[in-house]
Amino acid sequence: MKAVVFEKFGEAPTIQSVPDPKPAADGVVIKVEATGLCRSDWHGWMGHDDDITLPHVPGHELAGVVVAAGGRVTRWKAGDRVTVPFVGGCGHCFECTSGNHQVCEHQFQPGFTAWGSFAEYVAIDFADTNLVRLPDEMEFATAASLGCRFVTSFRAIVDQGRVKPGEWVAVHGCGGVGLSAIMIASAMGANVIAIDLTEAKLDFARKIGAVATINASTTSNVVKAVKQITNGGAHMSMDALGHPTTSFNSISNLRRRGRHVQVGLMLGEHAKASVPMSKIIAFELEILGSHGMQAFRYQAMMEMIRTGKLNPELLVGKKISLDEAPAALMAMGGFEGIGIGVVTKF
Ligand SMILES: [Zn+2]
Ligand SMILES: [Zn+2]
């Protein structure tokens, strides 16, 4: 099969012909119909992820059709249209059996712990636990855009952030994660403030539900601006970018007993960002992480998509071919364009 392969961290990936994958006993092989481009792929390529062994095929936001299933798989067969969350739970460890597959002790992550979906085919382990059936009407590109940033934002806003109608939510960074969070929080009935450096992204944020925006490139004190708009601070705030400044601002702009959810990755030189600890204590702030979402939680999200309350297709950005993926991947170190880039031609 054709795949995007890198042999060394930080060196340009190339298109290569590699052996087709075979399913594990509890796994499937999926013919990839769409796969999203994500900053996590860039981090992996840069060598920031210890799970990756070389040579490697990146890609973790995928949708496609099952072409083969291992002998122990009971729920899936060739022809099924599916997607997966980027963290696949083993289904057997303590975290999985208590419903927290997103922090499984033996997690399978395509594009990290195994070869990923920047290829014509991808093998997915623990299929019965992690595959999600696609509604007939959902396009593959939309489905692929869900698996990482959209589901992580759903869990961050709904399950971790516990956002309630009428609350103020601040979203720092309007890339794929941030825009997803704005759409989801708005659908939950919250009042959302979008914060970014570029006016075009803030315009788009308003279109999908933000009631206020702050341009951090022209606002000297973002924290003060959030507090003014919200009359005292956000109830819930999220760093969707993953940067010491946005993380610090997101915690600092909370009102008393507010919840900060960190979704943007903090890797490499940013792994040990500083936090305003005295304020965390005095205001009884909650600091939460959010890491993917369990496959069984897709059902609630899919119903909100089916009824038109969430429109993830609006967040699909540029559609490109696999041949264009190496250059696009290397460019992910900069800021993303509007929406989620998806490979749809293989
Ligand atoms: Zn597990
Ligand atoms: Zn991703």
Side-chain angles (χ1 to χ4, degrees):
M1 69 169 178
K2 192 170 155 187
V4 172
V5 182
F6 59 84
E7 320 244 353
K8 282 197 182 139
F9 294 117
E11 260 182 30
T14 54
I15 303 282
Q16 296 185 17
S17 179
V18 298
D20 287 357
K22 293 196 169 54
D26 61 1
V28 295
V29 170
I30 294 170
K31 181 177 188 301
V32 183
E33 297 287 352
T35 184
L37 287 150
C38 177
R39 215 174 151 84
S40 307
D41 296 313
W42 179 84
H43 278 297
W45 171 65
M46 286 295 286
H48 296 161
D49 194 309
D50 295 337
D51 288 332
I52 294 176
T53 55
L54 299 171
H56 185 67
V57 176
H60 58 280
E61 308 184 353
L62 65 114
V65 178
V66 174
V67 290
R72 290 213 301 268
V73 175
T74 60
R75 295 180 55 214
W76 306 98
K77 58 179 192 326
D80 289 339
R81 295 171 81 248
V82 295
T83 188
V84 285
F86 80 90
V87 178
C90 71
H92 302 289
C93 73
F94 175 80
E95 298 302 340
C96 283
T97 52
S98 60
N100 286 299
H101 306 80
Q102 79 284 358
V103 289
C104 169
E105 294 163 29
H106 315 289
Q107 51 192 259
F108 174 87
Q109 293 189 22
F112 299 98
T113 65
W115 279 15
S117 53
F118 284 12
E120 289 176 279
Y121 297 95
V122 64
I124 300 291
D125 293 352
F126 314 139
D128 280 341
T129 306
N130 298 298
L131 262 53
V132 175
R133 192 175 304 281
L134 298 184
D136 292 341
E137 68 276 12
M138 185 179 282
E139 286 184 26
F140 286 116
T142 304
S145 78
L146 300 177
C148 172
R149 287 160 280 189
F150 203 82
V151 296
T152 301
S153 290
F154 191 87
R155 178 166 167 75
I157 294 291
V158 179
D159 292 346
Q160 295 292 81
R162 310 187 304 280
V163 165
K164 291 181 269 305
E167 285 192 332
W168 279 103
V169 171
V171 177
H172 296 258
C174 295
V177 169
L179 292 174
S180 304
I182 289 161
M183 181 184 283
I184 294 160
S186 175
M188 297 292 291
N191 303 306
V192 184
I193 305 175
I195 301 132
D196 201 273
L197 295 167
T198 56
E199 209 51 48
K201 287 186 185 176
L202 294 173
D203 286 344
F204 190 72
R206 274 190 291 272
K207 281 195 192 111
I208 59 167
V211 296
T213 55
I214 297 170
N215 188 326
S217 71
T218 55
T219 305
S220 60
N221 190 331
V222 169
V223 171
K224 199 169 154 195
V226 172
K227 286 186 172 177
Q228 270 169 357
I229 294 167
T230 58
N231 200 15
H235 298 85
M236 188 249 160
S237 185
M238 176 169 155
D239 174 15
L241 175 64
H243 186 276
T245 303
T246 44
S247 176
F248 195 91
N249 284 349
S250 176
I251 298 170
S252 304
N253 68 201
L254 289 170
R255 68 178 60 207
R256 288 159 206 270
R257 296 191 45 85
R259 290 102 56 199
H260 162 77
V261 182
Q262 184 67 39
V263 176
L265 297 180
M266 305 282 267
L267 299 171
E269 59 185 312
H270 295 154
K272 293 179 181 170
S274 66
V275 296
M277 193 56 83
S278 59
K279 187 164 188 183
I280 293 170
I281 298 165
F283 276 20
E284 289 196 348
L285 303 181
E286 286 183 64
I287 309 297
L288 300 148
S290 191
H291 187 246
M293 187 171 82
Q294 313 93 315
F296 70 81
R297 281 293 282 148
Y298 271 63
Q299 197 179 351
M301 184 181 79
M302 289 297 203
E303 287 303 296
M304 290 180 78
I305 294 171
R306 193 164 69 86
T307 54
K309 293 197 169 81
L310 296 175
N311 299 283
E313 70 280 1
L314 297 178
L315 304 180
V316 174
K318 222 172 153 191
K319 291 181 183 170
I320 65 169
S321 69
L322 194 66
D323 295 336
E324 295 171 286
L329 175 97
M330 291 187 283
M332 289 302 284
F335 289 99
E336 303 164 75
I338 290 180
I340 294 170
V342 183
V343 176
T344 52
K345 272 196 227 96
F346 291 83

